[in-house]
Amino acid sequence: MVAVKFGESTEEYHLLLDSAASNTWVMSEKCTTDACSTHNSFGNGDSSTLKTEDTTFSITYGTGSVSGTLGTDDVHISSISTSLTFGLASNVSDEFSSYPMDGILGIGRGDNSDGTIKAPTLMDALSSSGSIKSKIFAIHLSRTADGLNDGELNLGELNKDRYDGDINYIPTVANENGFWEIPVDDAGIEGTLLGLKGRSAILDSGTSFILMPEPDGVALHKLIDGSKQSGETFTVPCSTTTPIQISFNGQSYNVSTADYIGGKMDDGSCKSNIIGRQTFGESQWLVGDVFLKNVYSVFDFDSSQVGFGVKSGGKQESVSSANPSGTATPVASSGEQSSPTPISTPSSSPSVTGASSAAVSSGSSADLAPTGGSPTAQQTVSASGTAQQSAAGAKASATGGSGRATSSSFAFSIALGLLPLFIESFYRAGNTCSAF
């Protein structure tokens, strides 16, 4: 989650960073539903510079919905500020009582001209105001199990201390939904590739898992000795030490066992954080934090491309997809990693050092040294809260051009980002997705 302030308010609002939607909103002081009573809300009583209007918005999610009116005020993200029109949610459904975020910060590709909130997006506003040099952002996600709490969001320029070598840029796939979607070369394990063709990945910082159509999920898990299928979910031996590899633009990237192996089941096996579920098209995967924690991810609006960097420090190596085994270093799992932790309210305020580096982390944020760029070229965002592994970002339904169709199914609610708190008990009980 990203720490944001609005207008004259000194209150810190924790907004969930959402790379698969472009709408930004915060809970309104006029909201009287139960969900708002447990969150920070914003309104005219907090800032005299807030300008409200009668224009309404309504967004339906996989689980829950919000609606309200629009407002315009300065948005302060670390050391930068820009005027932004955003949603003031006066009606927030009960599902949000279980989530810690006070709203959503949309950084998807959509321009919102036909969106639910018809106004320039955050990235549009930052770019047009000159607050950032380039219309680009990058994310380094912190793995909770490592205890580093050093997640980082860079705006306008990359942090070269976060990756080694060059960024591997992949042109995006054209779509009307504002998705950061890129072609997938193939996937496999230890040099054994599935021979997939025509697949694409929708990259979503607000989705905890990787979701792919069931045939692809089955084929991938068959390469893992001892894996088993139960409907759309899979289990693997907890002692598995072999990383999964996904290839983009000629480079293969490891997905560590620390990320794709989840909590222990009653039978002694561990659940897989790769789900066999079609969320969109038959060839589209929804690729969330299970993968994104393994790379430094770059999202470039101006050139319509996504880039991946090998994280600095040797924790992840990309290798030629012609030789996926290469020198990539497997990251062993003890088999005792817990299930994704239910989202809980952030316990501390974030700290920020300098104008070009900040934390997006679980727990309290870490101080990071800035590298290169002027304060307006690379700005910083600070956040606190729970693990990115368990926090899932809300995705808009097809109420506008940047939205998506609503579904009542459990797995689709994961795809849309709002991960219900019953996810842990769901896996422990061994239920199928159709049960919800």
Side-chain angles (χ1 to χ4, degrees), residues 209-214 217-218 221 227-236 265 269-278 410-411 414 423 426-436:
F209 303 119
I210 295 176
L211 295 100
M212 58 181 66
E214 186 175 348
V218 170
H221 283 90
S227 67
K228 296 179 181 179
Q229 181 183 6
S230 176
E232 296 168 338
T233 63
F234 302 88
T235 59
V236 297
M265 305 289 287
S269 64
C270 282
K271 68 182 179 68
S272 171
N273 289 331
I274 299 176
I275 313 297
R277 173 65 186 236
Q278 180 179 327
F410 163 76
I414 300 176
I423 185 68
F426 163 75
Y427 277 113
R428 290 184 184 277
N431 292 320
T432 60
C433 289
S434 60
F436 297 94

Side-chain angles (χ1 to χ4, degrees), residues 114-136:
D114 296 319
T116 301
I117 297 177
K118 294 179 174 63
T121 67
L122 172 69
M123 292 302 294
D124 287 334
L126 291 174
S127 179
S128 62
S129 66
S131 298
I132 55 177
K133 183 172 66 175
S134 300
K135 197 176 176 183
I136 190 171

Side-chain angles (χ1 to χ4, degrees), residues 314-360:
K315 291 187 177 181
Q316 161 71 55
E317 298 181 31
S318 68
V319 296
S320 169
S321 58
N323 178 25
S325 56
T327 58
T329 306
V331 181
S333 169
S334 66
E336 297 181 354
Q337 179 181 338
S338 63
S339 301
T341 306
I343 301 170
S344 60
T345 303
S347 57
S348 61
S349 299
S351 58
V352 182
T353 58
S356 59
S357 182
V360 176

Side-chain angles (χ1 to χ4, degrees), residues 2 77-79 138 140 149-154 159 162 350-361 365-370 378-383:
V2 180
I77 306 175
S78 185
S79 61
H140 156 71
N149 292 335
D150 65 346
E152 183 176 287
L153 168 67
N154 302 117
N159 182 352
R162 284 297 181 190
S351 58
V352 182
T353 58
S356 59
S357 182
V360 176
S361 64
S365 59
D367 291 345
L368 303 172
Q378 175 182 312
Q379 298 297 344
T380 65
V381 179
S382 179

Side-chain angles (χ1 to χ4, degrees), residues 13 57 63 93 117 169 188 192 222 246 258 269 298 327 351 385 389 402 406 414 416 423 434:
Y13 298 86
F57 78 96
T63 51
S93 65
I117 297 177
Y169 283 103
T192 301
K222 280 184 177 179
I246 304 178
S269 64
V298 181
T327 58
S351 58
Q389 175 181 345
S402 62
T406 304
I414 300 176
L416 297 185
I423 185 68
S434 60

